[in-house]
Amino acid sequence: MGIVVQKYGGSSVADAAGIKRVAQRIVATRKLGHDVVVVVSAMGDTTDDLIDLANEVSPLPPARELDMLLTAGERISMAVLAMAIQSLGHEARSFTGSQAGVITDAEHGRAKIIDVTPGRIRAAIDEGAIAIVAGFQGVSQTTKDITTLGRGGSDTTAVALAVALKADVCEIYSDVDGIFTADPRIEPRARKVPRISYEETLEMAAQGAKILHLRCVEYARRYDMPIHVRSSFSDKEGTWVVKAEDVRQEDSSMEAAIITGVAHDRSQAKITVVGVPDKPGEAAALFRAVADAQINIDMIVQNVSAAATGLTDISFTLPRGEGQTAMTALDRIKEAVGFDSLQYDDSVGKVSIVGAGMSSAPGISARFFEALSEAGVNIEMISTSEIRVSVVVAETQVQDAVNAAHAAFDLGSDEIEAVVYGGTGR
Amino acid sequence: MGIVVQKYGGSSVADAAGIKRVAQRIVATRKLGHDVVVVVSAMGDTTDDLIDLANEVSPLPPARELDMLLTAGERISMAVLAMAIQSLGHEARSFTGSQAGVITDAEHGRAKIIDVTPGRIRAAIDEGAIAIVAGFQGVSQTTKDITTLGRGGSDTTAVALAVALKADVCEIYSDVDGIFTADPRIEPRARKVPRISYEETLEMAAQGAKILHLRCVEYARRYDMPIHVRSSFSDKEGTWVVKAEDVRQEDSSMEAAIITGVAHDRSQAKITVVGVPDKPGEAAALFRAVADAQINIDMIVQNVSAAATGLTDISFTLPRGEGQTAMTALDRIKEAVGFDSLQYDDSVGKVSIVGAGMSSAPGISARFFEALSEAGVNIEMISTSEIRVSVVVAETQVQDAVNAAHAAFDLGSDEIEAVVYGGTGR
């Protein structure tokens, strides 16, 4: 049997009872004959508690020291998990990111993995031990300082180790049963997807579905590492994230679904710049100002200019947390660009349909927009990609929009599956 | 100016306020022009909390994983302390024991330092930074696993780093003002000793005075590193632990004190083996049995054998926590050795007078025993060394014995110094 890499998030190891439960699951996998490598996040709220402590002594904790501090969280969970496994009679050894050979650049707080040299992990599993690795952390190749990988870091650690160890699969455990056709909290008929392509998963994640972090899916896609997303609270099969060919192959016997799922995102805001002179370079000046403020914008819509005035309106969406900064940056260039005013709206939401079958099926956008119209949902902005159509709507209409899209593309199951749906850890 | 190594125990960094206070003290030392290297213990009860967590998942936590777990404590305190110093405008960098070059053997939980290679610490201070080092921990030379040094580990880390860096002094901070002529909690006239030799400090510590751990004093003595024991809660000069010549030199103008201090110890028990056949090899068999049970015995007294019976009684003291094990081990060889019975007494205490001047001054023991007699204290056992006389008395008479000895050798000050007296951290 081959190597299985399993990643458990903070909610799965929130307390001693959770750690014991996870330990039993790991031992069960070991007993099937697999070599098991486990990546673990910090227990429950540990990371937040450590950040609070840092803020008590420093208004702006230095990044190097914050990384040193936060990595204590995984150190605790991995050691305790190794103890719990050993008390079940199986050899287990914990390793820090550095010991596991997770080599990164020196960007504290958002380091990128540049190499994985898991010699000690391989030695441990060759000796029959279960290896427990701290997620979210590594060591800088240049400074030898401890680094953290930022959001989604533990998922990325797991996939990177799985690739380096040539594992059969990377299992990502959370408190969710898998990837669903929509968020079950707002769409009771949401159905678990058995298989989904890396590309669709990336689009779903980018459009707000709280499944897997983009980085980890991109890493898995690049090296073609299958990810099995499943719940640590049940034994159910979860969702397999694989390459598109493998999804098609599996689905060949039945008619392939055109749409895989509906994602929604309530974390964005919309800024409209009113009365922009419709001359070359004006839009560029606006977006340069926003980019210089380190803000990631998402969708952009420019109205057709009114011939009489020679003025146009430009709207774009961005993360709500960055709204204030963007408004300040734009206000600073108001006179230079010569626009009339700024409007800020944080009561918007984005709803997207995602599906690899979309590119070969005409009329998808039309069916989506008709469904929204019939549900009385007003579309404020539209953007599309090869395998996705997104709309911005009023936040109060997000749920209606998701339900309408889900029904229009027959995504629902006949019975309502009982699931817990939460955010992914780090 | 040279290098100053400062060690702060867990009670000095129990919370964010404590860490800020310590940060200010460190910065003040830096402003005097010294290069500063700080060794820090885990915050307050962190270590106990982590041990509790380990016990929740494992009845007997494996030593390697326990070390991995416990070292998270110093990781937290050192990172937060570095942050607090940086927020005061001074560069500070934290280092794990491994990063600081603390190389140990592979004995988890009680590793010995076998080398210190502080290249990264020297680089940090050469660049003008304050280096913060995790106490109590190192890395095994052979297995590359993280180790802990056991009790007194942080003090030992500090002295070892001071030696490796050729520091001017190793300052050990706690919540006590220094080393006293007796425990001020039971001897209100106890006086802080300005200077004391390594040898006297070792005897005081071995006889129960909760000052410094034996290991750290032995290390300092071997490499002649001056230790300055002082309080992190005051700016008072503390006690300098130095070589005997330096104590004498300093005290040459006044009449040297014969006795430096009175130590007491309430942690011991006494076992008496009654009716041992007075033949060669019987005592050896008894103590071999106790030694095989890994028990450290302290004082031994053998009565003169009664000629009529050819039987003798042998008494010895040992740590109370090991009483049960020793009694079981002895009971197992009762028939083989042929003794009558075992008596166990854990209501004993040990009181010792310590002083380098003792060896050249006759009549010290006599004066000590007379003082005890006048105070109505009954002596159960006696042992002596070059610079120490110890007696075992009933636990209820420990305080009377300390007070009597303190007065008999004129150790008291005229005024009562206000001090806090607590245990040393790890």
Side-chain angles (χ1 to χ4, degrees):
Chain A
M1 295 260 192
I3 297 172
V4 172
V5 174
Q6 299 186 328
K7 180 259 172 177
Y8 294 92
S11 62
S12 298
V13 292
D15 53 19
I19 286 177
K20 286 187 194 177
R21 192 172 43 74
V22 165
Q24 281 167 338
R25 180 177 284 272
I26 292 165
V27 166
T29 307
R30 182 78 187 86
K31 281 184 177 164
L32 291 175
H34 298 289
D35 286 330
V36 186
V37 175
V38 175
V39 174
V40 67
S41 300
M43 293 171 68
D45 300 326
T46 306
T47 303
D48 290 339
D49 293 345
L50 291 173
I51 290 173
D52 289 347
L53 178 61
N55 288 331
E56 277 187 73
V57 302
S58 177
L60 190 71
R64 178 191 186 278
E65 299 305 324
L66 195 57
D67 278 0
M68 186 69 97
L69 177 66
L70 295 186
T71 51
E74 282 78 23
R75 197 179 191 85
I76 293 169
S77 57
M78 73 183 192
V80 177
L81 181 55
M83 291 173 188
I85 293 171
Q86 292 211 39
S87 78
L88 296 176
H90 285 258
E91 174 73 11
R93 281 176 229 161
S94 66
F95 297 92
T96 64
S98 172
Q99 291 176 333
V102 179
I103 315 292
T104 72
D105 61 22
E107 289 291 319
H108 287 290
R110 50 193 169 91
K112 285 187 192 61
I113 295 176
I114 53 183
D115 198 7
V116 181
T117 55
R120 293 189 67 178
I121 305 303
R122 193 170 285 282
I125 57 179
D126 284 351
E127 290 166 21
I130 295 165
I132 315 291
V133 179
F136 177 67
Q137 56 178 257
V139 61
S140 156
Q141 190 170 46
T142 50
T143 65
K144 308 295 176 203
D145 286 330
I146 302 303
T147 54
T148 65
L149 307 180
R151 278 178 60 81
S154 287
D155 290 358
T156 308
T157 301
V159 171
L161 267 175
V163 169
L165 292 165
K166 297 186 172 47
D168 291 344
V169 59
C170 180
E171 297 182 341
I172 308 253
Y173 287 88
S174 71
D175 50 6
V176 191
D177 277 345
I179 298 177
F180 283 75
T181 51
D183 183 342
R185 284 175 302 194
I186 73 167
E187 174 50 66
R189 296 198 169 277
R191 191 174 39 82
K192 188 171 66 191
V193 181
R195 298 171 84 86
I196 184 171
S197 69
Y198 297 120
E199 292 75 14
E200 289 167 312
T201 309
L202 286 170
E203 284 283 8
M204 293 283 279
Q207 300 313 317
K210 291 174 181 62
I211 309 167
L212 290 170
H213 286 278
L214 285 176
R215 288 172 71 181
C216 114
V217 182
E218 280 165 358
Y219 206 111
R221 176 195 188 192
R222 194 177 327 140
Y223 297 99
D224 190 18
M225 172 54 60
I227 299 176
H228 188 183
V229 181
R230 54 197 305 196
S231 167
S232 70
F233 295 87
S234 83
D235 283 324
K236 287 188 206 166
E237 184 86 348
T239 298
W240 285 79
V241 182
V242 293
K243 59 184 171 188
E245 301 91 279
D246 293 345
V247 178
R248 276 201 295 276
Q249 205 165 7
E250 191 74 10
D251 295 344
S252 61
S253 59
M254 49 176 166
E255 193 171 0
I258 294 167
I259 299 301
T260 305
V262 182
H264 73 278
D265 183 356
R266 297 181 196 268
S267 71
Q268 298 224 317
K270 185 177 76 166
I271 289 178
T272 302
V273 188
V274 180
V276 183
D278 194 6
K279 294 183 298 191
E282 297 298 321
L286 290 178
F287 291 110
R288 167 53 52 201
V290 176
D292 286 349
Q294 304 288 322
I295 288 165
N296 292 306
I297 60 165
D298 180 23
M299 290 166 63
I300 303 173
V301 170
Q302 179 172 346
N303 294 351
V304 175
S305 120
T309 60
L311 297 179
T312 185
D313 297 344
I314 297 179
S315 297
F316 62 92
T317 59
L318 75 173
R320 272 179 210 176
E322 300 174 359
Q324 179 107 48
T325 313
M327 290 292 278
T328 306
L330 287 169
D331 192 56
R332 210 176 290 131
I333 58 164
K334 186 178 174 187
E335 284 192 29
V337 174
F339 62 80
D340 284 346
S341 62
L342 293 170
Q343 290 173 357
Y344 182 70
D345 182 1
D346 61 2
S347 304
V348 297
K350 187 169 59 167
V351 176
S352 307
I353 53 172
V354 173
M358 194 184 285
S359 53
S360 55
I364 298 299
S365 296
R367 207 202 293 184
F368 183 29
F369 300 156
E370 280 163 14
L372 294 177
S373 167
E374 282 161 21
V377 174
N378 186 43
I379 300 171
E380 299 186 14
M381 295 170 79
I382 298 170
S383 82
T384 62
S385 81
E386 275 287 295
I387 60 170
R388 172 183 58 82
V389 180
S390 299
V391 296
V392 169
V393 301
E395 191 177 6
T396 51
Q397 296 194 306
V398 165
Q399 171 141 11
D400 288 347
V402 169
N403 297 154
H406 206 262
F409 293 99
D410 291 327
L411 293 174
S413 65
D414 291 335
E415 53 187 300
I416 295 172
E417 297 190 46
V419 289
V420 187
Y421 201 88
T424 56
R426 65 187 195 191
Chain B
M1 297 259 193
I3 298 172
V4 173
V5 175
Q6 299 186 328
K7 181 259 170 176
Y8 294 93
S11 62
S12 298
V13 293
D15 53 19
I19 285 178
K20 286 187 192 177
R21 192 172 43 73
V22 166
Q24 280 167 340
R25 180 177 283 272
I26 292 166
V27 166
T29 308
R30 182 77 188 86
K31 281 185 177 163
L32 292 175
H34 298 288
D35 286 330
V36 186
V37 176
V38 176
V39 174
V40 68
S41 300
M43 293 171 68
D45 300 326
T46 307
T47 304
D48 290 339
D49 293 346
L50 291 174
I51 290 172
D52 289 347
L53 178 61
N55 288 331
E56 276 186 74
V57 303
S58 177
L60 189 70
R64 178 192 187 276
E65 299 305 325
L66 195 58
D67 279 0
M68 185 69 96
L69 177 67
L70 295 185
T71 52
E74 282 78 23
R75 197 178 191 86
I76 292 169
S77 58
M78 73 183 192
V80 177
L81 181 55
M83 290 174 188
I85 293 171
Q86 291 212 40
S87 78
L88 296 175
H90 285 259
E91 175 72 10
R93 280 176 229 162
S94 66
F95 297 93
T96 64
S98 171
Q99 290 175 336
V102 180
I103 314 293
T104 73
D105 60 22
E107 289 291 318
H108 287 289
R110 51 192 169 92
K112 286 188 191 61
I113 295 176
I114 54 183
D115 197 7
V116 181
T117 54
R120 293 189 68 178
I121 305 301
R122 192 170 285 282
I125 58 180
D126 284 350
E127 289 166 21
I130 295 165
I132 315 293
V133 179
F136 176 67
Q137 57 178 256
V139 63
S140 157
Q141 191 170 45
T142 50
T143 65
K144 308 296 176 204
D145 285 330
I146 302 304
T147 54
T148 66
L149 308 180
R151 277 180 60 82
S154 287
D155 290 359
T156 308
T157 301
V159 171
L161 267 175
V163 169
L165 292 165
K166 298 185 172 47
D168 293 343
V169 59
C170 180
E171 297 182 341
I172 307 252
Y173 288 88
S174 71
D175 50 6
V176 190
D177 277 345
I179 297 176
F180 284 74
T181 51
D183 183 342
R185 283 174 303 194
I186 74 166
E187 175 50 67
R189 296 199 169 277
R191 191 174 39 79
K192 187 170 66 192
V193 182
R195 298 170 84 85
I196 184 171
S197 68
Y198 297 120
E199 292 75 13
E200 289 167 312
T201 309
L202 286 170
E203 285 283 9
M204 293 282 279
Q207 300 313 318
K210 291 176 181 60
I211 309 167
L212 291 170
H213 287 277
L214 285 176
R215 288 172 71 182
C216 114
V217 182
E218 280 167 359
Y219 206 111
R221 176 196 190 193
R222 193 179 326 142
Y223 296 100
D224 192 18
M225 173 54 59
I227 299 177
H228 188 182
V229 181
R230 54 195 306 197
S231 168
S232 70
F233 294 86
S234 85
D235 284 323
K236 287 187 205 165
E237 184 86 349
T239 298
W240 285 79
V241 182
V242 294
K243 60 184 168 188
E245 301 91 279
D246 293 347
V247 177
R248 277 201 294 276
Q249 205 165 8
E250 190 74 10
D251 293 345
S252 60
S253 58
M254 48 176 166
E255 192 170 1
I258 294 169
I259 299 301
T260 305
V262 182
H264 73 278
D265 183 357
R266 296 181 196 266
S267 70
Q268 299 224 317
K270 184 177 75 166
I271 289 177
T272 302
V273 188
V274 180
V276 182
D278 194 6
K279 294 182 297 190
E282 298 297 322
L286 290 178
F287 291 110
R288 167 53 51 201
V290 176
D292 286 349
Q294 304 288 324
I295 288 164
N296 293 307
I297 61 165
D298 181 23
M299 291 165 62
I300 303 173
V301 170
Q302 177 171 347
N303 294 350
V304 175
S305 118
T309 62
L311 297 177
T312 185
D313 297 343
I314 297 179
S315 296
F316 62 92
T317 59
L318 75 172
R320 271 179 211 176
E322 300 174 358
Q324 177 106 47
T325 312
M327 289 292 277
T328 306
L330 288 169
D331 192 55
R332 211 176 289 134
I333 57 163
K334 187 177 173 189
E335 285 191 29
V337 174
F339 61 81
D340 284 347
S341 61
L342 295 171
Q343 291 174 358
Y344 182 71
D345 181 1
D346 61 2
S347 304
V348 297
K350 188 170 56 167
V351 176
S352 309
I353 54 172
V354 173
M358 195 183 287
S359 52
S360 55
I364 298 297
S365 296
R367 207 201 294 183
F368 182 30
F369 300 156
E370 281 163 15
L372 294 177
S373 168
E374 282 160 21
V377 174
N378 185 46
I379 300 173
E380 300 186 13
M381 296 169 80
I382 299 171
S383 82
T384 61
S385 80
E386 274 287 294
I387 60 171
R388 171 183 58 82
V389 181
S390 300
V391 295
V392 170
V393 300
E395 190 177 7
T396 51
Q397 296 195 305
V398 165
Q399 171 141 11
D400 288 346
V402 170
N403 297 154
H406 206 262
F409 293 99
D410 291 327
L411 293 173
S413 66
D414 292 335
E415 53 186 301
I416 294 174
E417 298 190 46
V419 290
V420 186
Y421 200 89
T424 54
R426 67 184 194 191

